């Protein structure tokens, strides 16, 4: 079992990373949270987890922190939640938001994630409520700080341009969640959000 891979970041997009280590390129599916943390690095270390759909067809996932991997493992322990669904959850919400939604039985927040239906959301709450520990620390705190700051800057820019605050917030959320725009780049976030006004 491989616990982590450390090496040169050979290729990266918001959903997938290739790390070259000792002449081998390891392809790993990643969340938007991990992408945000490693995108400006030439080399990185990702904690790994393999999910077997069939014995001969594993999918390999990478995480910037052990905390995120731990949450991923807990999510895929729930019946009906596979690796793809869990990674989408981690890309749509922060670790703290997921833990908060589960611990407060906020089924509607979980259902807002693409591919998570009512029954699955309820099952996640029933299976994991009270079992997540303190996911407010580690990766979630790092992300929330930059995430909120850059979101606020983008929101301020859009409202300054004359867009209603509620509409601007929705456009920004759509850019982040549906189109995978990183909150690290405020300019790009604003540009993509502008495209989301109907």
């Amino acid at each position: 079992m491989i616990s982590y891979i450390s090496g040169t970041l050979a290729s990266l997009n918001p959903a997938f990373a290739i790390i070259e280590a000792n002449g081998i390129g390891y392809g790993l599916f990643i969340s938007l949270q991990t992408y945000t943390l490693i995108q400006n690095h030439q080399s990185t270390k990702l904690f790994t987890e393999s999910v077997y759909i069939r014995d001969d067809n594993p999918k390999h996932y990478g995480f910037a922190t052990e905390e995120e991997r731990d949450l991923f493992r807990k999510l895929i322990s729930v019946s009906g939640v596979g690796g793809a669904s869990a990674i989408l959850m981690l890309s749509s919400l922060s670790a703290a938001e997921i833990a908060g939604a589960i611990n407060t039985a906020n089924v509607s927040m979980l259902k807002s994630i693409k591919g998570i239906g009512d029954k699955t959301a309820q099952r996640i709450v029933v299976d994991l409520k009270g079992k997540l520990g303190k996911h407010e620390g580690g990766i979630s705190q790092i992300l929330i700080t930059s995430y909120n700051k850059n979101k606020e800057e983008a929101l301020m820019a859009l409202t300054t341009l004359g867009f209603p605050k509620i509409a601007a917030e929705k456009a920004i959320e759509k850019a982040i969640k549906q189109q995978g725009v990183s909150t690290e780049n405020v300019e790009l976030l604003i540009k993509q959000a502008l495209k989301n006004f109907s």
Side-chain angles (χ1 to χ4, degrees):
M1 178 181 176
I2 299 173
S3 182
Y4 66 83
I5 298 170
S6 181
T8 303
L9 196 53
S11 178
L12 179 68
N13 66 50
F16 196 76
I18 296 176
I19 298 179
E20 185 179 335
N22 297 320
I24 300 172
Y26 297 91
L28 301 166
F29 292 98
I30 61 171
S31 71
L32 193 54
Q33 292 191 43
T34 287
Y35 172 78
T36 301
L37 289 178
I38 69 173
Q39 64 174 329
N40 296 317
H41 296 239
Q42 290 185 335
S43 61
T44 191
K45 174 182 178 180
L46 291 183
F47 297 92
T48 60
E49 181 70 10
S50 296
V51 177
Y52 288 81
I53 300 169
R54 300 190 305 270
D55 288 343
D56 61 342
N57 187 29
K59 280 195 171 183
H60 307 291
Y61 297 87
F63 307 92
T65 70
E66 289 184 276
E67 289 84 3
E68 188 187 17
R69 181 176 65 179
D70 180 54
L71 181 53
F72 176 85
R73 285 173 170 172
K74 285 184 168 69
L75 289 171
I76 63 173
S77 73
V78 177
S79 176
V81 180
S85 296
I87 213 76
L88 186 57
M89 289 181 72
L90 290 165
S91 293
S92 302
L93 300 172
S94 71
E97 286 172 328
I98 293 171
I102 292 169
N103 289 330
T104 59
N106 190 342
V107 172
S108 60
M109 179 178 277
L110 296 174
K111 280 169 56 182
S112 70
I113 301 167
K114 184 180 178 183
I116 302 297
D118 186 59
K119 287 184 179 179
T120 302
Q122 289 182 23
R123 197 179 298 120
I124 291 169
V125 169
V126 170
D127 287 3
L128 298 182
K129 189 175 181 181
K131 299 178 182 177
L132 294 180
K134 295 186 177 179
H135 282 285
E136 294 78 14
I139 183 171
S140 54
Q141 277 305 114
I142 295 168
L143 286 171
I144 286 169
T145 303
S146 65
Y147 181 83
N148 286 342
K149 179 173 177 261
N150 291 342
K151 269 181 67 179
E152 284 172 10
E153 285 185 22
L155 182 60
M156 187 182 298
L158 292 172
T159 53
T160 301
L161 289 170
F163 292 101
K165 185 178 179 182
I166 293 175
E169 286 175 340
K170 287 182 179 177
I172 291 169
E173 288 299 326
K174 186 176 180 182
I176 296 167
K177 292 181 181 179
Q178 295 183 13
Q179 288 138 358
V181 177
S182 169
T183 57
E184 286 287 299
N185 189 325
V186 179
E187 183 182 354
L188 182 60
L189 183 58
I190 294 167
K191 284 180 180 178
Q192 189 60 55
L194 285 169
K195 295 177 184 178
N196 292 329
F197 287 98
S198 53

